Amino acid sequence: MRTTSELREGFLQFFESKGHQRLPSAPLIPPPEDTSTLLISAGMQPLKPYFLGQKEPPATLLTTHQKSFRTTDIDEVGLDGYHLSFFEMMGNFSIGEYFKDGAVELAWEFMFDHLKIDRDRLWVSVFAGDPELGLGEDEVAIAAWEKVGLLRERIVGLPRTENFWQAGETGPCGPCSEMYFDRGEALSCGRPTCGPGCPCERYLEFWNLVFMEFDLAADGTLTPLPKPVIDTGLGLERTAAIQQDVISVYETDGYQAIMDWIEAESGVGWQSSEKATKAHRIIADHGRGMTFLVADGVLPSNEGRGYVLRRVIRRAVQQARVIGLANLWRISDVVADQMSRWYPELDENRERVRETLKEEEERFSETLERGMRLFEEIAAGDRISGDDAFRLHDTYGFPLELTRELAEERGLAVDEEEFTRLMAEQRARSRRGVAAETIAIRVDETRPTEFVGYEQTEVLTAIVAYADLGDGTFQAKLERSPFYPEGGGQVSDVGFIDHEETGARAGLLRAIRVGDDQVLHFKGEGFRESNRVRAVVPWSVRFPTMANHTATHLLHQALRDILGDHVRQAGSAVRPDKLRFDFTHPKALTEEERKRVEHAVNEKVFQNHPVRAFVTPIEEARQLGAMMLFGEKYGDEVRVVEVDEYSRELCGGTHVRWTAEIGPFVILSESSVGSGARRIEAVTAGEAWALLHARAEEAEELRGEVLELRRGAAKPAARAAETEVIYRDEANGIVVAEVTAVKGSALKDLSDQIRQSKKASVVLLGSVDDGRAYLVVNVDPSLVERGVDAVSVAREAAKKIAGGGGGRPDLAEAGGKNPEGLSEAFEVAKSEIASALR
């Protein structure tokens, strides 16, 4: 067993021969109920429910090859030849079968009968004990190693930090025993204490036997597991380095294809300089990591696992720049070609991985270009101040990690304490916000308003706090309130209060959420504290809001069903007139996908499923698989809204009782809102009926015009009537539409008619005729005055259809030989227009 593939298969076959059932690798994204880590960082993590007795295991003896990602090692990658952020972990597991003796015996047999490791170079560590945990030295493990023939002097005790294993702050844990390979005195640090556990490169840890006995609680309490568990992890890359007699994992066959590609594309040898070696290592490791992350559904963002992905992409792109390597996103194909046999998801998601990495690289390259100019100016001094680091972050999007790494390469220190202070001040300003600064009445946390809006839209209540703002408006707190305060994507209710005695009325401008309480902003006079009032949310406001909110839940699940589990909510706005839903997805929906999503939501609407809301402990919600927004802070008890086994989410908003109450669901537009994020706007209920009715009337008018044309009574709008116009997008004043077999002046005339009928600021009208693509950019003159140039837009968009463009500032056209690029041309045109208006 020398090659990486031989090691991987050999390990699995060996343990299968010992009665273990082979399981495939789990995704890098943990299941929803596991919130202990962002990403799978060890082979045992996907098996935790079996260890804790929460689920029945497929067998009591298991073996796996598990892809893993360790965020704590990102900064270490590149500095030596063995630290990795992405790696493969081979494991064998026993649930209540063999324990320490059995695990040691199996490891001994595999190491010497199959790997043929030199016994004189093997060292083992065991847990030395820890007073805080109330545990002593692991004498059982020592005896097990002596029993198989290892000399006592080659067994060393190490502290809790080294030899007590846990996957997160809480959960299954226990003492462990690690195996080290002595790579020779030449790699020693020379200190008298040099031995297993030393940070130098002499003793390479390659296998860890975890004797999992306990469940660690948040308060540090250890509870014995229902059954003791053996969890082992053999690092595939490190073991390959031992078997192939190389010092660095990057020299093994598992990395040769990717290292050769980096050398060939950059023209820089990986050992030509210290900078080149570091760059090659980072690109190779992060190239693998980012490919696997995207294939498993992670998308770049500024929080959570999305930020981990963004961080490794940007670190790799920055290092690629050092050695002159452009278009780094292509590395994903090298990774997929080499590893898809073992991980088929790399092939299945190859195109999505390419697109995601390419878009993120292009965006960051622009940021890097601008920010590096400032960094070089700053780096001319003897240190990087906290203010400069903050300016790089706030203005140019430089994460602190990048500034720190660039500074270290130049021998400069960064004032991180000052940077942290400035970031904290910025977050505090953001948290205060406009609403918090305008609260004029004291909020008593011991007497919060009782929100009764889930059950009632009209209630008799009293004003318990009042403040006159002096401009015909006032703020108040009610004893009981039917008004939903803005939050969770749902806009504030509007409505009114009536004075019970005088009949005075005040209109609600906004319900403001203040922690678990609310403050109401009214316009009107004749009210004061202690008044008895009637508070009303008009049904015409509340009902369509509820319909739209429930529709967002159906939409979320439909998108996941049709596009994939990588889809996650990235923001929403639920109003009475329409809904907006932002979600993670790397590219525009095709017309077919859009139709399928719309159909899926309407199918659930007209099947009339019940909608239930209930409050439950958060742990139970996790076990139920309720969708949770990453980064949100939830209490011990949460409100779950479920649609009859189809959708289940944590949500505090107002909802209909049955899906049929939503009425028809119609998508208005689908567009981009940034890297890896899309936005759908849609209507339901009365708004959807009105839209569909208007479309039907328009269709009837067009039919009438066609009939008149056939009778010889053609009208000025005849061209529009005979041409079927497919509207792709209608958002932000921009109408995107397509027709077939129209070009030249006819296409420009049609764009004029559409702009007038739709009252649009811009019309992007595309057409395919005889194998060629055509695009008209029709711009309202008011936008030309603001800097939009239709000619410039058309020329940029034309690159996607392999052609060119020209015309006037308010009306330009493009043509090209690549009809398949028309959708991308639309996106480029919209982006160019948005940039011109900034």
Side-chain angles (χ1 to χ4, degrees):
M1 291 183 202
R2 287 188 58 81
T3 69
T4 301
S5 290
E6 288 170 349
L7 280 169
R8 190 189 290 109
E9 182 61 28
F11 182 95
L12 296 169
Q13 285 185 4
F14 171 77
F15 282 99
E16 281 183 309
S17 74
K18 301 296 182 179
H20 294 62
Q21 181 175 324
R22 183 192 297 208
L23 296 181
S25 175
L28 285 171
I29 300 176
E33 63 271 14
D34 184 0
T35 59
S36 60
T37 56
L38 286 175
L39 297 162
I40 295 296
S41 59
M44 59 74 64
Q45 267 184 271
L47 309 180
K48 280 201 301 184
Y50 307 145
F51 303 158
L52 292 170
Q54 296 169 346
K55 290 183 180 179
E56 189 69 27
T60 53
L61 297 177
L62 302 167
T63 184
T64 66
H65 65 103
Q66 177 61 47
K67 53 189 173 183
S68 306
F69 195 101
R70 198 159 288 171
T71 58
T72 53
D73 287 344
I74 290 174
D75 289 331
E76 301 297 319
V77 173
L79 304 182
D80 56 40
Y82 56 91
H83 270 98
L84 300 169
S85 61
F86 175 85
F87 55 93
E88 293 180 82
M89 191 63 75
M90 310 303 299
N92 60 286
F93 308 91
S94 166
I95 305 172
E97 298 285 347
Y98 60 81
F99 199 45
K100 295 182 183 180
D101 285 329
V104 168
E105 289 167 6
L106 287 168
W108 188 266
E109 180 181 347
F110 185 71
M111 282 190 294
F112 299 122
D113 291 355
H114 295 270
L115 297 183
K116 309 295 183 185
I117 285 178
D118 184 349
R119 292 193 185 196
D120 294 334
R121 301 174 76 175
L122 178 70
W123 289 75
V124 165
S125 67
V126 295
F127 179 50
D130 184 80
E132 187 179 332
L133 291 173
L135 300 174
E137 187 176 46
D138 195 345
E139 295 176 355
V140 177
I142 294 172
W145 283 112
E146 288 183 310
K147 182 180 175 183
V148 294
L150 188 65
L151 298 176
R152 181 64 181 87
E153 56 264 30
R154 286 187 173 269
I155 306 172
V156 297
L158 294 178
R160 177 182 179 180
T161 54
E162 299 294 328
N163 273 68
F164 191 86
W165 197 92
Q166 54 195 87
E169 293 297 319
T170 60
C173 60
C176 61
S177 182
E178 297 171 326
M179 282 151 272
Y180 291 83
F181 185 78
D182 183 355
R183 300 199 289 183
E185 197 170 338
L187 292 175
S188 173
C189 60
R191 289 176 291 189
T193 56
C194 186
C198 182
C200 74
E201 296 194 13
R202 175 173 178 175
Y203 296 93
L204 180 68
E205 177 207 339
F206 67 96
W207 201 349
N208 188 7
L209 308 182
V210 178
F211 310 128
M212 209 176 298
E213 303 177 66
F214 309 107
D215 182 18
L216 179 63
D219 63 0
T221 305
L222 290 175
T223 305
L225 292 173
K227 295 178 181 178
V229 170
I230 285 296
D231 152 34
T232 83
L234 177 141
L236 183 62
E237 294 84 358
R238 292 187 179 191
T239 306
I242 293 170
Q243 292 298 92
Q244 295 168 30
D245 195 25
V246 294
I247 298 301
S248 165
V249 296
Y250 300 101
E251 297 174 78
T252 63
D253 71 301
Y255 275 91
Q256 282 308 294
I258 199 168
M259 297 294 278
D260 289 346
W261 182 86
I262 296 169
E263 280 198 348
E265 293 297 318
S266 68
V268 177
W270 83 281
Q271 291 180 310
S272 59
S273 68
E274 283 188 19
K275 272 190 174 182
T277 300
K278 177 183 176 182
H280 281 71
R281 288 170 175 171
I282 289 172
I283 294 167
D285 171 77
H286 291 4
R288 294 209 311 172
M290 62 197 193
T291 300
F292 273 89
L293 285 169
V294 178
D296 275 351
V298 181
L299 292 173
S301 71
N302 288 327
E303 60 180 21
R305 59 180 68 98
Y307 180 70
V308 173
L309 172 60
R310 175 160 283 170
R311 184 177 167 194
V312 295
I313 294 174
R314 291 184 169 190
R315 193 166 185 248
V317 169
Q318 190 269 328
Q319 290 296 323
R321 177 189 176 100
V322 170
I323 59 173
L325 173 58
N327 297 319
L328 178 62
W329 58 270
R330 296 172 297 152
I331 203 169
S332 63
D333 281 329
V334 184
V335 177
D337 289 343
Q338 186 176 18
M339 304 186 75
S340 58
R341 174 192 163 196
W342 293 92
Y343 302 98
E345 63 272 17
L346 295 176
D347 252 346
E348 293 164 6
N349 298 291
R350 189 183 286 250
E351 189 57 39
R352 179 159 61 84
V353 173
R354 281 193 197 118
E355 291 177 1
T356 301
L357 297 182
K358 182 180 181 182
E359 184 174 353
E360 183 67 15
E361 180 179 357
E362 288 174 349
R363 288 167 62 88
F364 181 59
S365 294
E366 294 173 4
T367 295
L368 197 58
E369 191 68 40
R370 296 192 303 269
M372 282 303 294
R373 288 195 288 269
L374 175 60
F375 181 84
E376 295 298 345
E377 293 175 17
I378 293 169
D382 57 357
R383 63 193 288 277
I384 307 293
S385 71
D387 185 61
D388 286 335
F390 179 75
R391 191 150 51 102
L392 281 165
H393 175 277
D394 202 42
T395 307
Y396 295 101
F398 264 42
L400 179 62
E401 297 89 356
L402 176 58
T403 300
R404 184 194 300 131
E405 189 159 346
L406 291 170
E408 284 175 356
E409 290 175 357
R410 291 159 173 78
L412 301 175
V414 179
D415 187 346
E416 296 190 28
E417 186 176 338
E418 175 70 4
F419 173 86
T420 302
R421 185 186 67 77
L422 292 169
M423 285 295 293
E425 287 180 0
Q426 185 188 62
R427 280 193 289 269
R429 288 193 298 271
S430 175
R431 278 196 302 269
R432 284 197 300 268
V434 176
E437 291 172 358
T438 57
I439 298 299
I441 59 179
R442 184 173 177 271
V443 177
D444 185 353
E445 294 181 1
T446 64
R447 294 180 60 201
T449 295
E450 180 189 356
F451 175 65
V452 296
Y454 293 135
E455 299 84 22
Q456 299 172 263
T457 56
E458 180 177 333
V459 63
L460 292 176
T461 183
I463 297 175
V464 296
Y466 174 89
D468 189 339
L469 301 182
D471 58 355
T473 69
F474 64 92
Q475 287 183 356
K477 250 173 62 65
L478 300 181
E479 184 178 36
R480 301 167 70 222
S481 168
F483 301 118
Y484 183 86
E486 182 176 333
Q490 183 171 323
V491 298
S492 162
D493 273 337
V494 295
F496 58 88
I497 55 173
D498 285 338
H499 195 297
E500 198 173 30
E501 295 177 2
T502 67
R505 173 171 290 193
L508 178 66
L509 300 177
R510 186 182 177 201
I512 305 165
R513 188 181 299 272
V514 184
D516 294 329
D517 205 348
Q518 60 174 243
V519 171
L520 307 173
H521 189 181
F522 290 100
K523 183 176 180 62
E525 296 177 343
F527 293 87
R528 58 183 174 81
E529 190 172 333
S530 78
N531 283 163
R532 297 289 299 174
V533 296
R534 181 175 68 107
V536 179
V537 182
W539 188 243
S540 61
V541 172
R542 171 59 65 77
F543 175 73
T545 304
M546 295 192 304
N548 283 336
H549 205 150
T550 308
T552 64
H553 288 215
L554 299 181
L555 174 61
H556 192 182
Q557 189 58 48
L559 288 166
R560 288 172 62 81
D561 289 344
I562 291 164
L563 304 180
D565 288 343
H566 65 279
V567 169
R568 293 274 173 171
Q569 181 175 339
S572 66
V574 179
R575 303 174 359 196
D577 58 329
K578 68 177 179 178
L579 66 91
R580 187 195 79 212
F581 188 78
D582 297 348
F583 58 99
T584 55
H585 189 58
K587 60 180 179 180
L589 272 65
T590 65
E591 185 64 22
E592 176 62 25
E593 288 171 337
R594 181 167 156 166
K595 287 178 180 176
R596 288 176 62 198
V597 169
E598 196 173 65
H599 179 271
V601 174
N602 280 301
E603 183 176 52
K604 294 302 174 185
V605 167
F606 293 110
Q607 285 172 355
N608 199 20
H609 294 280
V611 181
R612 305 180 185 91
F614 56 90
V615 176
T616 187
I618 190 166
E619 287 305 317
E620 184 177 333
R622 288 195 178 106
Q623 291 176 16
L624 289 171
M627 191 78 69
M628 304 181 187
L629 293 183
F630 188 83
E632 284 285 321
K633 291 185 178 179
Y634 297 108
D636 294 335
E637 290 200 329
V638 292
R639 184 170 184 262
V640 178
V641 175
E642 68 174 11
V643 180
D644 201 23
E645 298 302 317
Y646 177 69
S647 163
R648 187 178 288 121
E649 298 189 25
L650 300 196
C651 181
T654 60
H655 291 268
V656 296
R657 302 297 174 90
W658 294 84
T659 59
E661 295 176 54
I662 295 171
F665 171 86
V666 181
I667 293 177
L668 297 176
S669 64
E670 189 271 332
S671 58
S672 171
V673 287
S675 176
R678 308 293 301 176
R679 170 173 294 171
I680 282 178
E681 292 191 345
V683 289
T684 67
E687 292 288 340
W689 180 88
L691 176 67
L692 294 173
H693 183 67
R695 287 181 180 177
E697 285 189 334
E698 184 179 334
E700 283 300 319
E701 288 178 9
L702 289 173
R703 285 193 192 97
E705 290 178 5
V706 170
L707 288 173
E708 287 188 27
L709 182 64
R710 287 174 178 169
R711 296 185 188 121
K715 297 183 178 180
R719 181 69 215 181
E722 2 175 271
T723 304
E724 182 185 3
V725 180
I726 300 172
Y727 292 98
R728 301 295 187 195
D729 196 352
E730 297 179 50
N732 304 318
I734 301 176
V735 173
V736 179
E738 273 188 59
V739 294
T740 304
V742 182
K743 58 185 177 182
S745 59
L747 194 63
K748 288 187 284 187
D749 290 346
L750 186 54
S751 73
D752 272 332
Q753 293 170 24
I754 292 172
R755 187 161 68 81
Q756 291 166 13
S757 66
K758 294 286 185 179
K759 297 181 175 58
S761 300
V762 178
V763 170
L764 303 175
L765 180 60
S767 175
V768 175
D769 185 29
D770 196 25
R772 288 183 61 83
Y774 300 90
L775 175 66
V776 168
V777 181
N778 193 321
V779 180
D780 187 270
S782 64
L783 292 192
V784 176
E785 294 173 6
R786 292 174 58 190
V788 178
D789 180 6
V791 175
S792 176
V793 172
R795 284 174 178 166
E796 282 300 311
K799 295 175 183 177
K800 297 298 182 182
I801 56 174
R808 306 192 312 262
D810 63 334
L811 182 64
E813 59 183 332
K817 58 185 178 182
N818 178 27
E820 289 76 17
L822 197 52
S823 294
E824 287 186 81
F826 286 142
E827 293 299 318
V828 169
K830 288 194 290 184
S831 177
E832 289 293 311
I833 292 164
S835 296
L837 292 173
R838 283 184 189 139

